[in-house]
Amino acid sequence: QQQVKQSPQSLIVQKGGISIINCAYENTAFDYFPWYQQFPGKGPALLIAIRPDVSEKKEGRFTISFNKSAKQFSLHIMDSQPGDSATYFCAASGWSGGGADGLTFGKGTHLIIQP
Amino acid sequence: DSGVTQTPKHLITATGQRVTLRCSPRSGDLSVYWYQQSLDQGLQFLIQYYNGEERAKGNILERFSAQQFPDLHSELNLSSLELGDSALYFCASSELAGAGEQYFGPGTRLTVT
């Protein structure tokens, strides 16, 4: 059972455009939702994260939008640059009663920013 | 650089063998997590240790085990290796035990031949 569904699988955006990646979760016990960026041969790097008590969080060109009732959250990359070309993962974790603090990841989105 | 270190960077071994992967968390972090990344399964949580004690288990096989030592470094032991165990293994660390920011190391690429 895939608990975090991510779309699209791949995305091509023109330089300067807005990149949008969406995720949906099933487990209502999740209460922490980070986004990670991964370049080939590197470990995932934490980009931005949100908790369910806010609907939006912005850090520089990166914004997370969160819809608790729909159990969905998304990453927006404004003014996308070629250096943003990478694989992006959404994730979720929370106190499920079993002490499961490990992150549950989406399958990833391969983002290409065309110059 | 996240501050999390992992050794070795690459590891090639044969089926049936046993290997140990090592992780040093960021200074001050008490929690260590292990993840496996493969093309078919994606990124999967294996196990978490907090201040030397096992805290949570994910999709970890019985052939795999881990421990966290008093100096907070952690080791992941993989035994009776199979071809399907070939993957990237990441360690992550966080300051606290609960759901929060996790910082990933550069990973160990394991190839089982």
Side-chain angles (χ1 to χ4, degrees):
Chain A
Q1 181 187 11
Q2 184 186 356
Q3 293 195 51
V4 178
K5 293 184 179 179
Q6 183 172 346
S7 63
Q9 197 170 0
S10 60
L11 181 61
I12 300 175
V13 175
Q14 296 297 314
K15 178 183 174 183
I18 303 174
S19 304
I20 302 174
I21 305 171
N22 301 298
C23 281
Y25 63 97
E26 299 166 6
N27 188 345
T28 55
F30 288 150
D31 64 359
Y32 174 71
F33 303 89
W35 284 89
Y36 282 83
Q37 178 190 58
Q38 186 178 28
F39 293 104
K42 304 291 186 183
L46 179 63
L47 261 182
I48 186 172
I50 198 168
R51 293 192 185 270
D53 52 344
V54 297
S55 60
E56 187 174 282
K57 182 175 181 180
K58 184 177 180 179
E59 288 183 4
R61 295 185 295 111
F62 301 93
T63 300
I64 297 181
S65 297
F66 186 82
N67 185 329
K68 187 174 181 178
S69 60
K71 293 188 284 185
Q72 295 175 346
F73 58 111
S74 60
L75 175 70
H76 290 61
I77 306 175
M78 313 300 288
D79 187 27
S80 300
Q81 299 297 311
D84 297 330
S85 297
T87 301
Y88 292 80
F89 293 93
C90 62
S93 71
W95 182 260
S96 65
D101 299 326
L103 293 167
T104 300
F105 282 90
K107 293 289 189 185
T109 295
H110 183 50
L111 174 65
I112 297 173
I113 307 300
Q114 288 188 333
Chain B
D1 184 1
S2 67
V4 178
T5 61
Q6 290 186 248
T7 57
K9 193 168 185 176
H10 301 280
L11 198 49
I12 301 175
T13 189
T15 54
Q17 295 299 304
R18 173 189 168 94
V19 297
T20 297
L21 313 184
R22 183 188 169 105
C23 166
S24 292
R26 295 186 318 160
S27 176
D29 284 358
L30 298 179
S31 252
V32 169
Y33 307 77
W34 286 97
Y35 292 85
Q36 180 194 60
Q37 185 174 36
S38 62
L39 280 174
D40 53 345
Q41 296 294 327
L43 265 164
Q44 287 200 97
F45 166 62
L46 296 178
I47 195 165
Q48 177 199 5
Y49 277 80
Y50 176 73
N51 204 19
E53 306 241 339
E54 182 186 306
R55 179 170 173 88
K57 267 187 174 179
N59 299 319
I60 189 165
L61 299 172
E62 284 193 12
R63 300 183 285 108
F64 296 0
S65 64
Q67 53 184 327
Q68 187 179 27
F69 295 86
D71 67 353
L72 300 177
H73 91 272
S74 178
E75 294 180 356
L76 179 67
N77 301 295
L78 315 177
S79 61
S80 303
L81 285 167
E82 302 175 358
L83 295 178
D85 297 327
S86 296
L88 269 166
Y89 291 85
F90 290 105
C91 164
S93 74
S94 68
E95 183 181 359
L96 304 174
E101 297 174 349
Q102 295 183 25
Y103 296 90
F104 281 70
T108 293
R109 180 173 293 280
L110 173 66
T111 302
V112 182
T113 62

